[in-house]
Amino acid sequence: MSEMEGTRRVQINNSALRMIYAMSFIDLFAVGVIFPFLGPYVKSLGCTDTQVGIFGSAYAALQVISGPIIGSWSDIRGRKSILFVTLMISTVLYFLMGFCTTLISLLILRLLLGIFKHTQTLNKAIITDLTGNDKQLNMAVYGRCTSFASIGFVFGPMVSGHLSEFDNALQYICSLTAFLFVVNTILAYCLPNLKPTCSRQNRTARNELKIVVQDLRAVNWTNHWGAFLLKFFYIFVTTMFFSTQPFYLSEMFDAGKLEVGYVISLVSLVGVICGFCMSRFTILFYGVNETATLRTYHMFLLLTICFIGFLSVRNIFVFALLLVPFGVCNAVLRIVTMELVVAKCKDHERGSLTGASDSMMSLGRFLAPMTAGILADKSSTGGVMLYAALFSLLGTGVAYHLYAIDKLEAKYHGDGDKTD
């Protein structure tokens, strides 16, 4: 009987993981549809470039604040129920956005989305719940999930470009985005019921926010400072690169929009391939028992070399070749920084820590475009690449420090075992 229950549990987990993969693809596909159109549309309402930047930063700022709260709330109420509710709210908000004709109404809906749209955060928490403490399995599942999400973001902007040519393009784009969120809401409803990692017996809706705050304060954040700092450095430097890349290609190589599109697609393609091959890549080059800190150190070092290469080359084809190792770093760091976060967390902290991790990413996305814009105004897009290289070098130093600590701890435990 226990063997049959174990087999059934594995089947349920596999089914749930496939739904998570589908939801990750659809979520990034929907983001890819709305994201390229939104900035130019806001500017068409009479906004300046600074106001457009503030419009995007406001969304990221609310993601920073709401990420840990939504994650911790899912620890209490259960991942499935919170994911279902947030997807329903996001569906309505995206649909209403299609009828916005003023900046104020668009901004209000965008701010509400910044509070409630946390699909990737909750998906990651569900993956950790389903795979348990198996680090190798976690790595493989995160890699596949990232790959499916990357595929969605490759195709989303293409669809957005075609829809942008129609009259009332905003309605078409927002309606499609809302429909995609309806599909994800149905998938969330079909997920198996996962037990909350915190008991919710005798808890009412009135005191749950208080419990969320208490849970967040109870987490030992000093154990995770390195992982969060590396998460920030990773997203900060890559966002600086992506926000500057079209202008840099145009300025340095006189590249047109078609060439820029192919270059961006190349990075996404490399990310997809890396995601699917992540487990084999790690075993081939690092073995089974390697800690994530060593991979993080190597990837930050390679990322720094790539930025120096971008500054040095004067040929767009050589630049495109450098994008291959850059794409590898981008894909690997997205996964291993998450591994660093969950490696030391307790069961009841998973939602809070994954929410806080995504908040660090949102903080990086909030600061990077503004920083890149200021640096580009004061120097050039090449200056942005230089500062990105410096921040990447800082990340390399932090990663090496964490790796050295892991080596000392492993040596200490090894000597302790021999003494025993």
Side-chain angles (χ1 to χ4, degrees):
M1 184 68 179
S2 59
E3 184 177 347
M4 291 177 61
E5 289 179 352
T7 303
R8 184 174 179 272
R9 182 188 178 100
V10 170
Q11 290 174 345
I12 291 175
N13 285 359
N14 288 337
S15 176
L17 287 175
R18 283 193 289 270
M19 283 189 279
I20 293 297
Y21 296 152
M23 291 175 66
S24 297
F25 169 81
I26 293 170
D27 182 62
L28 267 292
F29 183 86
V31 171
V33 170
I34 191 74
F35 178 75
F37 178 80
L38 206 53
Y41 181 78
V42 171
K43 194 170 184 179
S44 71
L45 296 176
C47 295
T48 63
D49 289 331
T50 302
Q51 290 172 327
V52 173
I54 293 173
F55 181 85
S57 296
Y59 173 86
L62 282 172
Q63 290 266 292
V64 171
I65 297 169
S66 62
I69 296 174
I70 293 293
S72 189
W73 192 21
S74 74
D75 285 337
I76 300 166
R77 299 294 296 179
R79 317 284 187 219
K80 176 180 175 178
S81 59
I82 301 305
L83 179 60
F84 180 76
V85 169
T86 55
L87 283 170
M88 279 201 306
I89 295 174
S90 298
T91 300
V92 174
L93 293 175
Y94 274 120
F95 182 75
L96 293 176
M97 190 181 290
F99 299 93
C100 290
T101 55
T102 64
L103 179 63
I104 296 299
S105 59
L106 197 64
L107 178 60
I108 291 172
L109 291 174
R110 187 67 174 162
L111 293 177
L112 289 172
L113 281 166
I115 296 173
F116 291 105
K117 196 226 170 276
H118 288 282
T119 312
Q120 296 298 321
T121 301
L122 294 170
N123 278 353
K124 289 173 184 175
I126 291 173
I127 287 173
T128 306
D129 289 340
L130 292 172
T131 57
N133 296 320
D134 190 330
K135 294 182 179 180
Q136 187 175 342
L137 181 58
N138 280 338
M139 176 182 61
V141 173
Y142 280 134
R144 295 190 194 103
C145 191
T146 301
S147 296
F148 282 112
S150 299
I151 294 172
F153 199 74
V154 169
F155 290 106
M158 297 181 187
V159 175
S160 179
H162 288 287
L163 292 177
S164 299
E165 298 178 355
F166 291 98
D167 295 332
N168 299 321
L170 181 65
Q171 289 186 15
Y172 288 115
I173 287 174
C174 290
S175 296
L176 175 59
T177 305
F179 171 77
L180 292 170
F181 270 79
V182 168
V183 175
N184 263 356
T185 304
I186 296 171
L187 289 174
Y189 181 79
C190 295
L191 284 171
N193 291 314
L194 300 172
K195 294 182 179 179
T197 53
C198 295
S199 174
R200 59 179 183 176
Q201 188 176 5
N202 298 325
R203 291 179 176 177
T204 64
R206 184 176 180 179
N207 65 8
E208 280 188 356
L209 181 59
K210 181 180 179 181
I211 295 169
V212 166
V213 174
Q214 290 174 348
D215 286 346
L216 290 174
R217 292 179 63 183
V219 173
N220 188 357
W221 297 101
T222 56
N223 286 344
H224 307 281
W225 70 267
F228 286 129
L229 187 59
L230 289 174
K231 191 79 161 181
F232 173 79
F233 278 137
Y234 150 66
I235 199 66
F236 183 76
V237 298
T238 53
T239 302
M240 284 183 70
F241 172 80
F242 285 119
S243 62
T244 309
Q245 184 187 36
F247 308 105
Y248 186 78
L249 290 172
S250 178
E251 180 181 310
M252 296 300 297
F253 308 113
D254 195 26
K257 292 182 179 179
L258 184 62
E259 291 169 304
V260 171
Y262 276 114
V263 167
I264 294 173
S265 296
L266 176 62
V267 178
S268 299
L269 179 62
V270 172
V272 170
I273 296 172
C274 284
F276 281 111
C277 301
M278 184 65 64
S279 180
R280 295 180 182 179
F281 169 83
T282 303
I283 294 173
L284 178 63
F285 289 98
Y286 295 97
V288 177
N289 297 321
E290 172 271 333
T291 62
T293 52
L294 178 59
R295 273 176 292 150
T296 308
Y297 165 58
H298 286 167
M299 290 301 106
F300 266 107
L301 181 61
L302 181 58
L303 190 66
T304 305
I305 295 171
C306 288
F307 278 120
I308 296 173
F310 292 147
L311 286 166
S312 305
V313 299
R314 293 295 179 266
N315 184 290
I316 192 170
F317 295 106
V318 180
F319 184 92
L321 286 176
L322 284 171
L323 285 174
V324 175
F326 177 86
V328 171
C329 294
N330 184 42
V332 174
L333 283 173
R334 185 182 304 166
I335 296 169
V336 296
T337 51
M338 192 64 206
E339 283 185 49
L340 290 175
V341 171
V342 301
K344 298 180 180 180
C345 78
K346 300 176 182 177
D347 288 347
H348 68 276
E349 298 175 340
R350 285 175 183 168
S352 303
L353 290 176
T354 51
S357 175
D358 275 26
S359 290
M360 294 303 295
M361 294 182 68
S362 297
L363 180 63
R365 292 191 182 107
F366 168 69
L367 294 175
M370 293 192 299
T371 305
I374 294 171
L375 292 174
D377 286 338
K378 290 184 175 296
S379 56
S380 64
T381 53
V384 178
M385 293 290 184
L386 177 60
Y387 278 95
L390 292 175
F391 278 106
S392 181
L393 187 61
L394 284 174
T396 305
V398 173
Y400 181 77
H401 175 72
L402 294 180
Y403 172 61
I405 291 175
D406 278 354
K407 282 187 67 177
L408 287 174
E409 288 181 352
K411 183 178 180 181
Y412 173 78
H413 290 304
D415 292 340
D417 292 339
K418 290 179 181 178
T419 304
D420 293 339

